[in-house]
Amino acid sequence: MEKHIVTNYDLDLDQCKTMIGEMSIYIDKLLVDVVGLVSSKNTNLINGIFRTEEEINKLEKKLRLFTLNVLSKRQPMADDLRAVLITLKISGILERIADHLVNITKKIDHQIKIPEYFSSKMDLEALGKLVSENFSTVINLYKEPSNEVAKEVLRKDMLCNELFSEICKKNLDDISKNNEQKECKFFIEINFIAKEFERIGDLVKNISKEVRYSISGKVR
Amino acid sequence: MVSKKKIKVLTKRVSVFYGDKQAIKDVNLEIYENQVTSLIGPSGCGKSTFLRCINRMNDTIDICRITGKVLIDNDDIYKATLDPVLLRARVGMVFQKPNPFPKSIFDNVAYGPQIHGLTNSKEELEDLVVNSLQKAGLFNEVKDRMNESGTSLSGGQQQRLCIARAIAVSPEIILMDEPCSALDPIATAVIEELIDELMQNYTIVIVTHSMQQAARVSQQTAYFHMGNLIEFGETSKIFQNPKNKQTQDYITGRIG
Amino acid sequence: MGLGSFCVLIILIATFITWYGNNKALRVNHALGKDLKLPSLPKYYSFYAILWLIIPSIILILTWYIAKPLILDVLVLSFISEDTIKNFSGDPSMLVDRVKSINIERPFPGTDTNLIEAAVYLKKTLERVQTFTFLSILSLGCFLSFIAIKKINPAFRARQIVEKYNVAILLVCSVVAIVTTIGIVFSLIFEALRFFDKIPLFDFLFGLSWSPQMAIREDQVASQGSFGAIPIFAGTLLITIIAMTVAIPVGLTSAIFLSQYSSPMTRSIIKPLLEILAGVPTVVYGFFAAITVGPFLKGLGDVFSLNIASESALAAGSVMGIMIIPFISSLSDDVISAVPQSLKDGSYAMGATKSETVKKVILPAALPGIVGAILLAISRAVGETMIVVMAAGIAANLTANPLEAVTTVTVQIVTLLIGDQEFDSAKTLAAFALGITLFVVTLMLNLFALRIVHKYREKYE
Ligand SMILES: Nc1ncnc2c1ncn2[C@@H]1O[C@H](COP(=O)(O)OP(=O)(O)OP(=O)(O)O)[C@@H](O)[C@H]1O
Ligand SMILES: [Mg+2]
């Protein structure tokens, strides 16, 4: 892309990207931590997660102010306008992802005890890892848009969805096998956690949609 | 949707020459009735020249020559039998710099109706003047000073006076050449509001250097570059997602 | 040494000082190194030095020329022997004058030898003294300017001082112009006051009869003469009006044609022709009026059995009108061309034709300027003399009939002052009274015209 006549304009647009990159690093960390939490509960990790989430919120606010400033200062047009617009939207999505991750953390935190083994455990961990992986992919897509990467994101998202229905099925089996009330509740919780991961997967897909919009200018 | 819009002005392969220099090159453009069409482009690309083709103001420049066809309501305005004087009554024009005549406010607006003999009595003329001033949103500000000189008004008021003057002869089309370039944001906003209202009854073509203004007031936008029409289309499309790279580079402020 | 060689010398010296001062300043700059520099450019320093050369020289030279006669008197008197002075019947100063007027080479035969010797002595000493004075003035000037050059150092700001002197010089020059004007006005006023001692102001301003014949012998009739200025001002007015009726329509229309309708080609031919018209001397217009137009009008009148005097206001006025045409047309051409294109475009865009645009937009916009031009033209017409002298006669008729002979103020002034006159008779002094009245009238017209032109000038922007 050619440079703008006003050099600072380019710097501003770059800064938008940098800030999204910064946020995504935090989210990456959160994802890894939360997936770790799923495999084994760890109080230290939990506190760390809450702190990181706060950081993300702060960053989101900063980014919002910055884009607002860019909008009013530069009054961008066409692709620039879209670039700034998706920065704003993606930062919102990132913040939502962080919220979902915190929700998962809270659910695990409230669970007094997690059984050593339940039938969907491997799948749940796999789902978390997949989502985490897809997130990295989509951030790469944001940094350097390409068709292959976009397709990759979609493919991984399909996998996520499949995994999620797998987990649901397994949980349902577990519940029907178990009559004890306490256990039932636990499986439902697991279901919710899986659901949160699935939501995060959707949000990741949304990011790729935003990127696609910014490139093509077409709303689908 | 597109098929419903009626074409008011149609140019077919219009080229304009100043002496040997070609200022407009084979431009085909449709201007739709009761819509605002904005012409944008870098300085010297021929926007004003093109605009002036539509009311044959280029005739007043000796060295200027035009080829191709300009049709208004499917009627060639450059045909020999057409009187440019009558044409200009149908196609009004507002200039970049407010240029009220050094006459009273009333006389400024009454100028057109008088030279075209549009009114039969003094009362009728007065009604017409008041009406035009009202349409231009200026009446309340000047109703007590109709006899003061038009040049004593502020820049924004002067520009609205010029608009009132133009609409006093009830043209079908109003051409505006950078009407807000000398005005502050408030006066600009007033004029933009006015354009929105005038759109109901007139077809408006506006040249502007402000991308934001073009985006705000117009439905169609044409981008000119070095005398060529580069891109023409719905304003929202042009400004959010232009097809042509040159257009994109221009509206985003890149070196193009 | 005369004043001429003095001037040549001083110019040579000034050139040298400029060069030297410049060099010196450059050298100082060089010596100061890179970081530091003289606060003013070198040329200011040399200019400053030249000021020190020239200003004292001028002042001293002027003093010398004022003092010279006094010194001469003393010298001559001291040379002439006591006896000659005693024998001389008149005042000693007259003796001095006589000495000065003696031609040394070919003295008038019979002149006192003592006086001739005095004259020779006077010439020699005068030359010597003058040369000495000039040389000392020059050396003083050189000395002062060399001190000025010596003073060149970074603490000394020559530019500011030179600028101040510049302003002072400009001021002196403009004061000279103003003082001259004031002097003219005052000389007029004093003479006019003397006139009004003899003839009451009221009679002059409102009297209906003008016949300034003063008696040469006591017993002649009309010994007093009458000095009512109304007829001649009326005559002036009449001729001016006729001139304007010719000049305004023709001048204006030609201006409109030139600025709006003509092709550049036509314009480039007609404009110079009009300017030639402006260059014709008024005397030529005068005999054109007297010899061609006057008789022609008379002949024309005879055809219609009208009695037209061969010297008529009409002949003079119409020729004067022709003379003023280029004046009006070129001034109006300027103001009409100054009407901005945007106004014209505005009018054309409304669907106005060219003539409508000219009539309704261009002329009203240019009107103030045109009025100004006309007023200036009027004051020109009022001051015009030659044509009237030759074509309208000098008879001070009080009439509104353009076919009769009338006279104007300037013509009367001329006739009053022609010929041998005593300078204290009412007849001569009347010229000054007329002059000051005319002056006041044209001044008012000019002021009025300038005010109008100025007031509306900004309106174009
Ligand atoms: N009267 C004229 N005589 C000769 N050339 C002209 C004349 N008017 C315009 N041109 C040339 O035609 C070209 C287009 O001029 P035009 O005034 O239409 O540009 P524009 O797009 O309106 O520019 P701007 O945005 O600065 O008003 C320019 O290159 C200009 O030099
Ligand atoms: Mg223009």
Side-chain angles (χ1 to χ4, degrees):
Chain A
M1 191 100 267
E2 263 173 85
K3 291 210 178 319
H4 287 89
I5 297 167
V6 183
T7 322
N8 277 344
Y9 195 174
D10 281 326
L11 295 184
D12 280 355
L13 291 177
D14 285 348
Q15 176 70 10
C16 284
K17 280 199 165 177
T18 316
M19 287 172 97
I20 290 287
E22 221 175 305
M23 272 178 95
S24 65
I25 290 172
Y26 279 105
I27 302 273
D28 251 341
K29 183 167 178 289
L30 270 190
L31 275 166
V32 172
D33 286 358
V34 170
V35 172
L37 212 56
V38 170
S39 51
S40 67
K41 188 172 163 179
N42 178 339
T43 336
N44 278 348
L45 267 184
I46 291 176
N47 288 338
I49 288 169
F50 287 144
R51 269 200 306 277
T52 314
E53 200 259 341
E54 265 165 38
E55 280 308 311
I56 289 173
N57 283 349
K58 265 188 224 155
L59 265 179
E60 197 264 346
K61 263 182 214 139
K62 209 171 113 192
L63 193 141
R64 184 190 301 233
L65 286 179
F66 184 77
T67 45
L68 218 58
N69 196 7
V70 172
L71 279 175
S72 65
K73 200 163 56 179
R74 312 278 178 205
Q75 308 195 318
M77 280 288 181
D79 58 342
D80 299 337
L81 179 59
R82 297 198 301 265
V84 178
L85 202 69
I86 65 157
T87 310
L88 205 55
K89 288 200 79 172
I90 291 179
S91 81
I93 294 176
L94 294 184
E95 199 249 8
R96 289 266 301 285
I97 292 179
D99 283 350
H100 284 299
L101 288 172
V102 165
N103 280 350
I104 296 175
T105 314
K106 277 182 188 157
K107 288 213 164 77
I108 294 176
D109 192 17
H110 290 159
Q111 211 70 41
I112 320 283
K113 182 173 160 287
I114 301 179
E116 278 300 295
Y117 180 79
F118 51 94
S119 51
S120 61
K121 179 164 182 174
M122 293 307 281
D123 290 331
L124 192 58
E125 275 177 37
L127 179 60
K129 279 193 180 124
L130 194 57
V131 167
S132 166
E133 219 172 275
N134 205 11
F135 178 76
S136 306
T137 322
V138 91
I139 290 302
N140 283 340
L141 178 69
Y142 171 72
K143 283 176 182 157
E144 259 170 67
S146 85
N147 263 338
E148 267 92 83
V149 183
K151 275 185 196 137
E152 168 106 10
V153 171
L154 282 184
R155 198 177 53 79
K156 282 186 183 156
D157 188 59
M158 300 272 273
L159 284 183
C160 283
N161 288 347
E162 276 164 22
L163 258 179
F164 172 63
S165 28
E166 193 79 359
I167 292 169
C168 284
K169 224 191 274 160
K170 281 188 179 162
N171 274 340
L172 213 64
D173 280 357
D174 281 349
I175 292 174
S176 54
K177 274 184 219 150
N178 269 295
N179 332 358
E180 238 174 283
Q181 186 132 34
K182 234 182 183 175
E183 300 256 301
C184 256
K185 200 181 157 220
F186 167 74
F187 287 121
I188 291 171
E189 283 297 311
I190 292 292
N191 231 4
F192 272 123
I193 290 174
K195 182 72 197 161
E196 300 277 4
F197 274 128
E198 193 262 355
R199 281 298 302 143
I200 293 173
D202 276 354
L203 291 174
V204 167
K205 198 176 78 185
N206 284 353
I207 292 179
S208 84
K209 269 190 193 164
E210 297 297 342
V211 174
R212 263 216 317 272
Y213 163 69
S214 132
I215 308 298
S216 69
K218 289 187 190 95
V219 190
R220 243 173 262 179
Chain B
M1 174 74 193
V2 176
S3 58
K4 261 189 217 164
K5 288 182 287 194
K6 183 170 170 262
I7 294 175
K8 183 77 186 169
V9 183
L10 180 68
T11 70
K12 285 188 183 162
R13 306 202 50 175
V14 166
S15 296
V16 181
F17 302 83
Y18 288 110
D20 297 334
K21 190 169 168 282
Q22 188 166 5
I24 295 285
K25 295 165 190 161
D26 272 352
V27 169
N28 299 307
L29 186 68
E30 296 149 12
I31 292 165
Y32 301 110
E33 188 157 38
N34 293 349
Q35 286 211 341
V36 180
T37 303
S38 62
L39 311 181
I40 60 170
S43 198
C45 67
K47 307 177 294 288
S48 305
T49 305
F50 182 76
L51 195 70
R52 291 160 64 97
C53 288
I54 302 175
N55 67 345
R56 293 187 61 172
M57 274 299 276
N58 283 333
D59 291 12
T60 60
I61 299 172
D62 293 333
I63 54 168
C64 189
R65 206 157 47 78
I66 170 167
T67 64
K69 279 189 173 163
V70 180
L71 308 177
I72 296 184
D73 292 336
N74 262 326
D75 193 15
D76 186 2
I77 62 168
Y78 279 89
K79 68 182 176 195
T81 51
L82 192 128
D83 184 0
V85 164
L86 296 180
L87 171 72
R88 288 180 202 142
R90 287 172 60 202
V91 187
M93 187 159 188
V94 176
F95 295 86
Q96 171 172 8
K97 233 176 79 185
N99 57 349
F101 303 132
K103 300 162 171 280
S104 72
I105 292 169
F106 182 91
D107 287 342
N108 259 289
V109 184
Y111 186 81
Q114 276 172 343
I115 57 175
H116 292 295
L118 296 184
T119 52
N120 299 319
S121 66
K122 206 159 169 280
E123 289 77 47
E124 235 179 284
L125 181 64
E126 271 167 22
D127 282 352
L128 182 56
V129 169
V130 169
N131 208 329
S132 309
L133 283 172
Q134 269 165 348
K135 274 195 209 153
L138 187 63
F139 183 66
N140 285 334
E141 286 158 70
V142 300
K143 60 175 174 236
D144 305 321
R145 41 197 280 214
M146 295 288 254
N147 288 322
E148 275 177 44
S149 168
T151 47
S152 67
L153 296 173
S154 76
Q157 289 173 327
Q158 285 187 12
Q159 196 59 295
R160 275 181 284 152
L161 180 64
C162 292
I163 293 177
R165 186 175 75 184
I167 57 186
V169 290
S170 19
E172 299 154 29
I173 304 167
I174 302 179
L175 312 175
M176 301 185 171
D177 195 348
E178 300 174 41
C180 301
S181 61
L183 304 183
D184 75 319
I186 300 293
T188 303
V190 173
I191 298 224
E192 284 177 7
E193 166 72 12
L194 184 58
I195 291 175
D196 278 348
E197 276 167 27
L198 292 177
M199 197 176 79
Q200 317 294 326
N201 304 314
Y202 306 92
T203 304
I204 296 176
V205 187
I206 179 172
V207 170
T208 174
H209 276 154
S210 158
M211 242 61 71
Q212 281 71 29
Q213 181 172 56
R216 287 191 299 261
V217 300
S218 67
Q219 286 79 46
Q220 304 286 327
T221 297
Y223 171 66
F224 283 81
H225 184 79
M226 311 252 290
N228 294 305
L229 175 64
I230 303 291
E231 188 168 350
F232 173 67
E234 272 175 44
T235 300
S236 53
K237 289 233 177 79
I238 297 267
F239 286 111
Q240 287 158 27
N241 190 17
K243 287 196 192 66
N244 193 291
K245 182 164 177 308
Q246 268 175 298
T247 319
Q248 163 124 334
D249 284 351
Y250 178 70
I251 61 178
T252 54
R254 292 188 176 92
I255 303 158
Chain C
M1 184 159 90
L3 193 58
S5 33
F6 175 77
C7 288
V8 171
L9 260 184
I10 211 167
I11 287 172
L12 287 179
I13 294 175
T15 323
F16 173 72
I17 287 175
T18 317
W19 173 78
Y20 181 69
N22 249 330
N23 260 9
K24 169 82 197 274
L26 284 175
R27 256 181 288 131
V28 172
N29 252 347
H30 200 70
L32 283 174
K34 268 191 185 140
D35 313 331
L36 211 59
K37 249 189 152 184
L38 288 174
S40 313
L41 291 176
K43 64 175 181 193
Y44 283 103
Y45 289 97
S46 48
F47 199 80
Y48 176 75
I50 289 180
L51 281 181
W52 273 110
L53 170 69
I54 295 205
I55 292 179
S57 304
I58 290 178
I59 292 172
L60 289 175
I61 287 277
L62 286 180
T63 334
W64 160 247
Y65 275 101
I66 292 167
K68 194 161 106 174
L70 305 177
I71 297 171
L72 275 186
D73 288 7
V74 176
L75 275 178
V76 172
L77 277 183
S78 66
F79 186 81
I80 300 168
S81 62
E82 296 280 318
D83 299 347
T84 329
I85 295 174
K86 269 186 203 135
N87 293 346
F88 192 69
S89 53
D91 192 78
S93 68
M94 287 173 74
L95 202 59
V96 174
D97 284 341
R98 184 171 294 179
V99 171
K100 279 192 220 163
S101 65
I102 290 174
N103 180 345
I104 308 167
E105 266 98 58
R106 298 171 61 193
F108 203 65
T111 322
D112 189 341
T113 45
N114 196 329
L115 289 188
I116 296 181
E117 275 165 24
V120 173
Y121 167 77
L122 176 69
K123 187 164 181 249
K124 274 189 188 153
T125 25
L126 186 63
E127 255 168 30
R128 252 183 258 140
V129 172
Q130 178 155 325
T131 311
F132 174 73
T133 327
F134 280 4
L135 285 181
S136 24
I137 290 175
L138 275 184
S139 29
L140 178 69
C142 289
F143 175 67
L144 290 175
S145 47
F146 277 105
I147 290 185
I149 290 179
K150 269 256 132 33
K151 264 204 329 200
I152 295 179
N153 69 50
F156 174 56
R157 297 161 175 276
R159 179 162 45 86
Q160 280 79 344
I161 297 174
V162 168
E163 293 292 342
K164 258 184 220 153
Y165 273 96
N166 270 343
V167 173
I169 291 169
L170 295 179
L171 188 71
V172 167
C173 292
S174 49
V175 163
V176 167
I178 293 169
V179 165
T180 322
T181 319
I182 293 176
I184 293 174
V185 172
F186 269 91
S187 72
L188 273 179
I189 286 178
F190 282 125
E191 301 297 337
L193 283 179
R194 282 172 65 198
F195 171 76
F196 291 125
D197 275 347
K198 299 187 194 252
I199 312 287
L201 178 65
F202 185 84
D203 287 1
F204 174 73
L205 284 184
F206 300 104
L208 293 181
S209 149
W210 176 267
S211 52
Q213 283 76 20
M214 289 298 284
I216 295 170
R217 297 186 313 276
E218 286 294 309
D219 55 333
Q220 219 174 352
V221 242
S223 64
Q224 183 51 49
S226 53
F227 292 92
I230 291 272
I232 51 178
F233 275 100
T236 309
L237 187 67
L238 180 64
I239 287 195
T240 309
I241 288 173
I242 295 171
M244 287 300 139
T245 20
V246 173
I248 293 175
V250 180
L252 213 52
T253 41
S254 67
I256 291 170
F257 173 74
L258 280 181
S259 59
Q260 300 302 317
Y261 289 91
S262 71
S263 65
M265 178 71 185
T266 340
R267 188 183 162 92
S268 68
I269 295 171
I270 295 187
K271 203 134 199 221
L273 283 181
L274 267 177
E275 268 143 26
I276 289 178
L277 209 56
V280 176
T282 55
V283 183
V284 176
Y285 280 111
F287 46 76
F288 175 61
I291 294 172
T292 315
V293 180
F296 171 74
L297 285 176
K298 190 173 162 59
L300 203 66
D302 289 344
V303 172
F304 297 101
S305 59
L306 265 174
N307 190 16
I308 301 181
S310 64
E311 295 189 321
S312 65
L314 189 58
S318 48
V319 173
M320 195 191 281
I322 293 171
M323 180 192 82
I324 291 174
I325 287 172
F327 198 71
I328 290 191
S329 79
S330 93
L331 278 181
S332 317
D333 186 13
D334 288 348
V335 286
I336 289 176
S337 305
V339 173
Q341 183 65 32
S342 66
L343 273 188
K344 294 181 216 163
D345 277 351
S347 174
Y348 292 139
M350 295 298 300
T353 62
K354 200 152 193 174
S355 68
E356 281 166 339
T357 304
V358 168
K359 221 167 36 207
K360 296 193 152 188
V361 175
I362 297 180
L363 282 187
L367 191 64
I370 294 173
V371 169
I374 290 174
L375 287 178
L376 287 176
I378 289 179
S379 63
R380 176 114 199 253
V382 167
E384 174 51 39
T385 323
M386 227 46 226
I387 297 173
V388 191
V389 172
M390 298 172 92
I394 50 171
N397 290 327
L398 180 55
T399 174
N401 183 354
L403 306 179
E404 282 181 40
V406 294
T407 191
T408 65
V409 178
T410 47
V411 170
Q412 280 310 308
I413 293 177
V414 171
T415 47
L416 288 174
L417 292 179
I418 286 173
D420 292 333
Q421 314 277 342
E422 314 140 53
F423 247 77
D424 54 355
S425 81
K427 184 178 170 186
T428 319
L429 290 174
F432 294 99
L434 286 177
I436 187 100
T437 324
L438 189 63
F439 176 77
V440 171
V441 170
T442 43
L443 183 70
M444 304 270 239
L445 271 178
N446 277 340
L447 286 182
F448 190 51
L450 286 181
R451 279 246 337 243
I452 289 186
V453 173
H454 270 280
K455 188 167 166 199
Y456 292 94
R457 179 154 289 161
E458 317 87 282
K459 285 282 161 71
Y460 294 147
E461 261 93 69

